[in-house]
């Protein structure tokens, strides 16, 4: 089946530093990748949609200069949290849609736990 | 913002029982309704999904019931097992260039042995 990986699975960083999270589709090509944020015991909040080779589309209220998204290839998207602060601590999850897959089907990565101290 | 309302927030069921989780939506443009299962510290995994042209879909112990006129859909887990203990999210998708999913608030299911 379609597998999506994320790296790292956990990261702890100091306030003011930047952190990069990678999302890879391992056995399929993904035209579209989504980035979500999830707070403890809460639902998934869509942050942005990225298409390979074009700029990401950010949801209302998500700072594009703080959450930099790059989708440079059909198998890799990255989320960089710039100048991280404790309020950015969260569980970040990506998902990918296969080029030849069903229109809505998204395969989710295992998530990245970010803790900003 | 488009919303999908999910209930209950938490559910405790005895082993072998039926777990029922409900979702309701307002946007009639939604035409895809999946259910996801999420274990702690993991990403969501697709369980089962339905389109509005059918009223029910069954896959193993999992069944989606869909009521288009009421704009409601539900997940039934038959013969619930302790291994089913997880958080379940309903979602809905509308036709569009991105076909994003809107998620419900989640239901934490605990199946007692």
């Amino acid at each position: 089946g379609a597998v999506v990986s994320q790296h790292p699975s956990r990261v702890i960083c100091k306030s003011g530093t930047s952190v990069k999270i990678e999302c890879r589709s391992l056995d399929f090509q993904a035209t579209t990748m989504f980035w979500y944020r999830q707070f403890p015991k809460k639902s998934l909040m869509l942050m942005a949609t990225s298409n390979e080779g074009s700029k990401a589309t950010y949801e209302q209220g998500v700072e594009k200069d703080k959450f930099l998204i790059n989708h440079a290839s059909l198998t890799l998207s990255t989320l960089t949290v710039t100048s991280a602060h404790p309020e950015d601590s969260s569980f970040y999850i990506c998902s990918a849609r296969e080029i030849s897959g069903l229109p809505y089907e998204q395969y989710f990565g295992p998530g990245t736990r970010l803790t900003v101290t | 913002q488009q919303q999908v309302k999910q209930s209950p927030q938490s559910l405790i069921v005895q082993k072998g029982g039926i777990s029922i989780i409900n979702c309701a939506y307002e946007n009639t443009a939604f035409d895809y309704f999946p259910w996801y299962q999420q274990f702690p510290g993991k990403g969501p995994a697709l369980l089962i999904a339905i389109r509005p042209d059918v009223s029910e879909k069954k896959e193993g112990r999992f069944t989606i019931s869909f009521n288009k006129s009421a704009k409601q859909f539900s997940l039934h887990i038959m013969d619930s097992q302790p291994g089913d203990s997880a958080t379940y999210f309903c979602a809905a998708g509308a036709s569009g260039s991105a076909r994003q999913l809107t998620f419900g608030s989640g239901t934490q299911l605990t199946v007692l042995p």
Side-chain angles (χ1 to χ4, degrees), chain A residues 104, chain B residues 1-4 24-33 51-53 66-73 92-95 102:
Chain A
Y104 292 103
Chain B
Q1 185 174 349
Q2 300 172 346
Q3 284 190 337
V4 177
Y25 64 96
E26 290 295 326
N27 188 352
T28 55
F30 286 141
D31 59 0
Y32 174 71
F33 304 90
R51 293 290 189 126
D53 53 345
F66 183 80
N67 186 330
K68 188 174 181 178
S69 61
K71 291 187 283 188
Q72 295 175 347
F73 59 109
S95 297
T102 300

Side-chain angles (χ1 to χ4, degrees), chain A residues 11-17 19 37 39-40 66-67 81-92 113-117:
Chain A
V11 58
I12 300 173
C13 71
K14 292 186 182 298
S15 186
T17 61
V19 174
R37 183 172 180 176
F39 292 101
K66 181 167 188 61
F67 298 99
V81 183
T82 63
S83 185
H85 290 282
E87 57 265 31
D88 299 324
S89 298
S90 192
F91 193 52
Y92 292 88
R113 174 75 58 192
L114 170 64
T115 303
V116 185
T117 60

Side-chain angles (χ1 to χ4, degrees), chain A residues 39-104:
Chain A
F39 292 101
K41 299 188 184 299
K42 297 294 184 183
S43 188
L44 286 79
M45 183 189 78
L46 180 65
M47 297 175 66
T49 302
S50 73
N51 292 295
E52 185 266 339
S54 61
K55 290 184 178 180
T57 301
Y58 290 81
E59 294 301 299
Q60 190 173 8
V62 178
E63 299 176 59
K64 61 179 67 176
D65 294 331
K66 181 167 188 61
F67 298 99
L68 301 179
I69 292 173
N70 184 279
H71 192 161
S73 76
L74 287 172
T75 60
L76 173 65
S77 177
T78 59
L79 168 67
T80 302
V81 183
T82 63
S83 185
H85 290 282
E87 57 265 31
D88 299 324
S89 298
S90 192
F91 193 52
Y92 292 88
I93 307 173
C94 72
S95 70
R97 180 186 295 148
E98 189 174 4
I99 286 179
S100 57
L102 297 174
Y104 292 103

Side-chain angles (χ1 to χ4, degrees), chain B residues 31-65:
Chain B
D31 59 0
Y32 174 71
F33 304 90
W35 284 89
Y36 287 86
Q37 179 189 56
Q38 185 180 29
F39 292 103
K42 303 295 183 183
L46 178 65
L47 263 182
I48 187 172
I50 198 169
R51 293 290 189 126
D53 53 345
V54 296
S55 60
E56 186 175 281
K57 183 175 181 180
K58 182 176 180 180
E59 289 184 1
R61 296 185 295 110
F62 301 95
T63 299
I64 297 180
S65 295

Side-chain angles (χ1 to χ4, degrees), chain B residues 13-16 80-82 85 110-113:
Chain B
V13 173
Q14 292 286 340
K15 178 182 177 181
S80 299
Q81 300 296 312
S85 297
T110 301
V111 181
L112 301 176

Side-chain angles (χ1 to χ4, degrees), chain B residues 6 8 10 16 22 28 41 60 64 75 77 81 85 90 97 100 105 108:
Chain B
Q6 183 172 345
S10 62
N22 302 298
T28 55
I64 297 180
L75 175 69
I77 305 175
Q81 300 296 312
S85 297
C90 63
S97 59
Q100 300 164 347
S105 54
Q108 188 165 353

